[in-house]
């Protein structure tokens, strides 16, 4: 996975609360193989009106944010279904950072696996950032993961991220390799566990 | 012997599964059961791309639920058929037991695994589905994961996790007659909100929770994710043990008794400390339904839709206005004045035998004035319901009796609510478009869905069940 260090990009002031993953990608598109690209499905039903036309009033349809690499939203972003496709739609559209006061737990974990930074700012800072001219006018902001800072115009915001996730993103680490380095410990665990929890094995196969 | 510090059930199961703890506090945990479904194809693709094998096929179970057709003669697109086939092929290739399409016990993972005893107390269970929290009802530590994590579990049978915050939610007292675990769950979420429990594992406790059947507990734990928590669980007790005894994948005979002795030790120690405690009184829980586009947009059936104008927080007011616009409802309207176009009884939340009995108790001898679909949670539930004659009550009322699957809860298999229609539904999410593009969902208990089918609007089911046995 590509390491995430700094990101200079325009930020879309989405401003929505409780964005669930059904909004990020409606379930009916999830049969598509990833190779076809998921960006086309991002916010599919929110972006379009009843006739399938792009709505002028949806921020991502605003030309100023057409090539945004960052989304700014309100609390509980990515709640709901565990679908990792909710991250694929963002990453495939070139969005590798979402800034919000809080995230759905599974969404945040999925983000890390795909190199997308879920940056946490206080609700007050989010309100400021949503109204910050460099964001609103689509002039671009900087996200610095090492320093945990967002630089927007003359303002600097300190964001929060779990220390282990930060390390993983900065290094572009893959979980499976890391886990395999613990093969001996896993084996030792199994040997002891089969003695202490004999009932944990399924009793029957059919 | 040195006595340990008092621990919660959450810590006890966590500790029993910890393989290593990293310096940053994250732990590598052993996974006892992993359920894969048709949507797990990304996970298998990752595994294949690395040329890796499934580490423990004996602990992995395939469950066809998200995309399987539930109606005879349903015509599905090629992409859907391919996904259903792919699950079978992946399972066969890796030696995984699969309850695929056409299997007599096929059904929703969160219904099938408990009823076969694949789910047991004290196990750590994962599945690429957020409603995996359901299995906590039997005292398992169970949570949903994403596709990359599915791949990781397939390849290593382990998962990295940070320790959750511990939250205890106690409901004291006795639930009033005619109310169910669904009313409990919706009532809790309407009070604490959908984000309140983020990062938490919830232990449900208190006499009202103890008083629930296993089916009710499965419903309560199922909805845990809708309050933002990672999982919800209930310490196993006599109700749990009696329900599990004799189920085919559970330990048998003396081995079961030995397991029960271990499982009794899982309960939180008296002095154990939780990071958060919430206490509710069961008498404050009424029949509850949602009116908006988030599970927290729920209220007692006797209540009225809130007015955004009287909401002080402008962000919340805007969210309310947006929800009401989508739902095409007016502030101040009585919940009982909300008309419905269609009903759905099913999903991992409410498709078990008790749910079907509760709905049938309302519908017996009556007619639904709107169309509707009833999808039992598994082949096993379906056969039992048919033996009890419940299917005939539903069809006599004018509802369609279908096969098992996720069906109209998420619409992936083609069972959708048409755009603009309003559905009274026993499911778990009323998100915009959840049941199909442009669909409007009202979440409620099976009894209330049945009552709505009879009257054509949201209705307190107790008005229709007086003197009837559920």
């Amino acid at each position: 996975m590509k390491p995430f260090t700094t990101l200079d990009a325009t930020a879309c002031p989405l401003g929505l609360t409780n964005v669930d993953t059904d909004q990020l990608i409606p379930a009916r598109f999830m049969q598509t193989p990833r190779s076809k690209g998921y960006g086309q499905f991002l916010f599919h039903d929110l972006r379009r009106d009843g006739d399938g036309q792009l709505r002028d009033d949806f921020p991502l349809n605003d030309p100023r944010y057409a090539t945004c690499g960052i989304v700014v939203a309100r609390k509980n972003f990515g709640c709901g279904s565990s679908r990792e496709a909710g991250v694929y739609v963002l990453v495939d559209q070139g969005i590798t950072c979402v800034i919000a006061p809080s995230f759905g737990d599974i969404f945040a974990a999925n983000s890390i696996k795909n190199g997308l930074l879920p940056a946490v700012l206080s609700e007050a800072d989010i309100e400021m950032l949503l109204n910050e001219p460099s964001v609103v006018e689509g002039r671009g902001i900087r996200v610095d993961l090492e320093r945990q800072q967002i630089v927007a115009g003359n303002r600097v915001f300190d964001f929060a991220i779990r220390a282990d996730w930060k390390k993983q993103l900065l290094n572009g680490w893959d979980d499976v390799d890391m886990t395999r380095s613990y093969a001996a410990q896993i084996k030792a665990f199994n040997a002891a566990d089969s003695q202490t929890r004999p009932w944990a094995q399924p009793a029957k196969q059919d | 012997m040195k006595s340990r510090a008092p621990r919660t059930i959450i810590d006890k199961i966590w500790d029993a599964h910890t393989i290593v703890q990293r310096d940053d506090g994250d732990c590598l945990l052993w996974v006892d059961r992993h359920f894969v479904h048709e949507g797990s194809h990304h996970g298998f693709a990752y595994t294949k791309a690395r040329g890796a094998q499934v580490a423990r096929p004996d602990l992995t179970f395939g469950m066809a639920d998200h995309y399987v057709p539930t109606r005879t003669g349903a015509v599905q697109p090629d992409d859907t058929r391919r996904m259903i086939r792919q699950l079978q092929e992946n399972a066969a290739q890796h030696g995984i037991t699969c309850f695929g399409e056409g299997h007599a016990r096929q059904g929703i993972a969160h219904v099938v695994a408990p009823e076969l005893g694949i789910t047991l107390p004290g196990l750590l269970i994962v599945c690429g589905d957020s409603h995996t929290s359901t299995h906590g009802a039997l005292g398992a530590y169970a949570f949903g994961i994403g596709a990359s994590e599915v791949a990781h579990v397939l390849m290593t049978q382990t998962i990295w996790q940070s320790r959750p915050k511990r939250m205890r939610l106690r409901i004291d007292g006795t639930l009033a007659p005619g109310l169910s675990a669904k009313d409990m769950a919706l009532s809790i979420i309407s009070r604490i909100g959908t984000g309140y429990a983020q990062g938490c594992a919830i232990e449900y406790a208190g006499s009202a929770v103890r008083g629930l059947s296993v089916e009710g507990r499965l419903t309560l734990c199922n909805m845990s994710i809708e309050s933002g928590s990672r999982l919800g669980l209930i310490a196993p007790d006599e109700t749990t043990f009696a329900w599990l005894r004799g189920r085919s994948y559970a330990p048998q005979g003396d081995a079961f008794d030995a397991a029960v002795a271990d499982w009794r030790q899982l309960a939180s120690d008296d002095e154990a400390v939780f990071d958060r405690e919430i206490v509710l009184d069961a008498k404050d829980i009424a029949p509850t339904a949602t009116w908006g586009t988030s599970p927290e947009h729920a209220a007692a059936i006797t209540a009225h839709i809130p007015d955004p104008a009287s909401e002080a927080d402008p962000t919340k007011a805007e969210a309310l206005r947006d929800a009401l616009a989508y739902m095409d409802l007016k502030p101040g309207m009585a919940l009982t004045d909300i008309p419905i176009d269609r009903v759905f009884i099913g999903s991992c939340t409410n498709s078990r035998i008790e749910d079907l009995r509760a709905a049938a108790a309302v519908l017996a001898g009556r007619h639904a004035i709107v169309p509707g679909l009833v999808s039992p949670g598994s082949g096993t539930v379906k056969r039992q319901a048919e033996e009890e004659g419940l299917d005939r009550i539903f069809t006599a009322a004018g509802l369609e009796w279908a096969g098992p699957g996720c069906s109209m809860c998420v619409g992936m298999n083609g069972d959708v609510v048409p755009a603009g229609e309003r559905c009274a539904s026993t499911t778990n999410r009323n998100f915009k478009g959840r049941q199909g593009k442009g669909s409007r969902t009202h979440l409620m208990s099976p009894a209330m869905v049945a009552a709505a089918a009879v009257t054509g609007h949201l209705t307190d089911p107790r008005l229709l069940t007086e003197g009837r046995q559920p």
Side-chain angles (χ1 to χ4, degrees), chain A residues 84 113 174-183 186 190, chain B residues 19 28-31 34 36 40-60 94 96 126 145-160:
Chain A
E84 197 160 309
K113 317 282 188 225
D174 181 308
D175 273 356
V176 176
D177 292 332
M178 191 163 55
T179 303
R180 288 207 165 132
S181 70
Y182 292 106
I186 295 173
N190 283 157
Chain B
I19 299 165
L28 184 65
L29 302 177
W30 179 252
V31 174
H34 180 199
V36 291
S40 306
H41 63 99
H42 291 294
F44 280 104
Y46 286 145
T47 307
K48 193 176 171 192
R50 296 182 73 112
Q53 292 300 308
V54 174
R56 292 294 298 267
D58 57 325
L59 303 181
T60 312
H94 295 283
I96 295 167
V126 299
I145 57 176
S148 296
E149 290 175 321
V150 166
H152 186 278
V153 177
L154 285 173
M155 289 186 263
T156 68
Q157 200 60 29
T158 63
I159 188 157
W160 289 99

Side-chain angles (χ1 to χ4, degrees), chain B residues 406-429:
Chain B
C406 299
S407 185
M408 205 177 274
C409 173
V410 65
M412 287 174 170
N413 76 335
D415 295 343
V416 293
V417 173
E421 276 198 14
R422 198 182 290 289
C423 182
S425 184
T426 66
T427 54
N428 41 59
R429 289 188 175 132

